[in-house]
Amino acid sequence: MHIERVELQRLQMPFKASFEASFGRLAKRDLVLVSVYSSDGTVGYGESTSMALPLYNEETTETVWYMLEHFLIPKLLTAKITSPAEVAELFAPIRRNNMAKAALEGAVWDLYCKQQGISLAAGLGGQKQTIEVGVSIGIEPTVDLLLHKVEGFINQGYKKIKVKVKPGFDIEPMRAIRKQFGSDVPLMADANSAYTMDQIDILKELDQFDLIMIEQPLAHDDIIDHAKLQKELKTPICLDESIHSLEDARKAIEMGSCGIINIKVGRVGGLTESKKIHDLCQVHNIPVWCGGMFETGVGRAHNIAITSLPNFTIPGDTSASDRYWTEDIVDPEVVLLEPGILAVPTEPGIGYNLKPESVNKFLVRQENYSRQTVASVE
Ligand code: OSB
Ligand code: MG
């Protein structure tokens, strides 16, 4: 693949409106954009899904940059890679830091598919031409404000409405949504680990709202209590934070900890691992869907591509660019083809171009690494 240079760009992009989850309130995205350059002039793009603070997982924008600069980029630039499937193997000796790995691996996947002249979706083995998508809605100051947001997204045709919950903002909002919009709305709750088994009564109440699933109710590192809880609930539990790898998925399925898995490419360390988890879940009749981390168009494009695989049967969190951004960094922006539907690009690679003038607006740091420079960093 002749990778000769990697560029890192740190971008800070304000959201249209701040977003609250049980772990805190965020006003902007803080990400590392990765560009991988081949000697033939082809460029591949990837994006880190870490946040500025380690509230969702242990990584941050700073740790991602550090790991890329000191370990992952030097490994990539000094190896001879013939396909992106080899990148995960190359990075395997380095423990965790999955979002850092995924950002670089994703860029290599894009580069490879562009060189092969195939779409990223096709490169991953995806077959769908369009995907159904949903939207994730944060904790709002009042239930009325939440209802207003839900209405707007239902009107845009989003195929799944996911609402963030936390103790004190759970039963009432769910009841209000069901009351106002009826039982047909595909609705789910995401707790981001805000509950313990001592609060099982609240989770049993949530069980009565015919939710498609309850996402990550218990601890971020748990699969044991989730298995106990699943026995007490008819609503499927979906694991997000607890699944970092194919092995985690295997154990959770074996334990009966969940009925559904949310695959986030960053959290599991890349597209290759995502595909493996997808395949395992398919064999075990565990439906999967693609989670989101407030991605720019670059990350959205990767999410769309992986969602084109057949066992992504539940609409994911990959909403259109205008969900979070007044201005995205890709051209064209990600827009709904029809209500709640996104097209899977057929152009080579991710199928979206970078808009350099937009990238520059949000740019706070930029570095380049070549074979020569990494020798000194290592
Ligand atoms: O738990 O799915 C989550 C965002 C950041 C961290 C964790 C999560 C989320 C979201 C937003 O729910 C999904 C999106 O719209 O990108
Ligand atoms: Mg989640």
Side-chain angles (χ1 to χ4, degrees), residues 224-367:
I224 307 281
D225 283 351
H226 279 101
K228 290 184 194 155
L229 177 63
Q230 184 65 91
K231 291 193 181 68
E232 305 285 324
L233 300 180
K234 60 178 193 287
T235 310
I237 291 175
C238 169
L239 288 179
D240 174 356
E241 282 89 331
S242 294
I243 307 296
H244 302 96
S245 62
L246 178 68
E247 269 297 280
D248 285 351
R250 178 184 68 75
K251 291 169 188 167
I253 294 169
E254 209 172 297
M255 292 278 309
S257 315
C258 61
I260 297 171
I261 289 181
N262 164 342
I263 296 181
K264 283 182 184 162
V265 180
R267 194 191 69 231
V268 305
L271 289 164
T272 304
E273 194 75 3
S274 297
K275 187 170 155 58
K276 286 182 184 167
I277 296 172
H278 162 275
D279 294 351
L280 177 80
C281 288
Q282 191 165 29
V283 170
H284 291 274
N285 286 315
I286 300 284
V288 303
W289 55 280
C290 182
M293 294 290 296
F294 315 122
E295 287 87 347
T296 75
V298 171
R300 274 168 215 279
H302 284 85
N303 289 345
I304 293 167
I306 194 77
T307 304
S308 71
L309 300 182
N311 194 38
F312 281 87
T313 53
I314 299 174
D317 281 348
T318 310
S319 37
S321 295
D322 71 359
R323 163 73 184 94
Y324 293 109
W325 313 122
T326 40
E327 177 179 345
D328 201 343
I329 58 169
V330 293
D331 179 37
E333 296 209 347
V334 179
V335 292
L336 296 177
L337 178 71
E338 290 167 37
I341 307 276
L342 290 176
V344 178
T346 51
E347 297 83 6
I350 61 173
Y352 289 87
N353 296 311
L354 270 192
K355 250 186 324 198
E357 55 299 354
S358 306
V359 171
N360 284 332
K361 263 188 210 168
F362 305 120
L363 188 63
V364 295
R365 184 182 174 197
Q366 171 169 327
E367 302 286 347

Side-chain angles (χ1 to χ4, degrees), residues 69-84:
E69 174 172 282
H70 291 273
F71 303 105
L72 302 172
I73 293 171
K75 262 195 186 294
L76 182 70
L77 288 177
T78 53
K80 272 210 162 47
I81 293 289
T82 57
S83 99

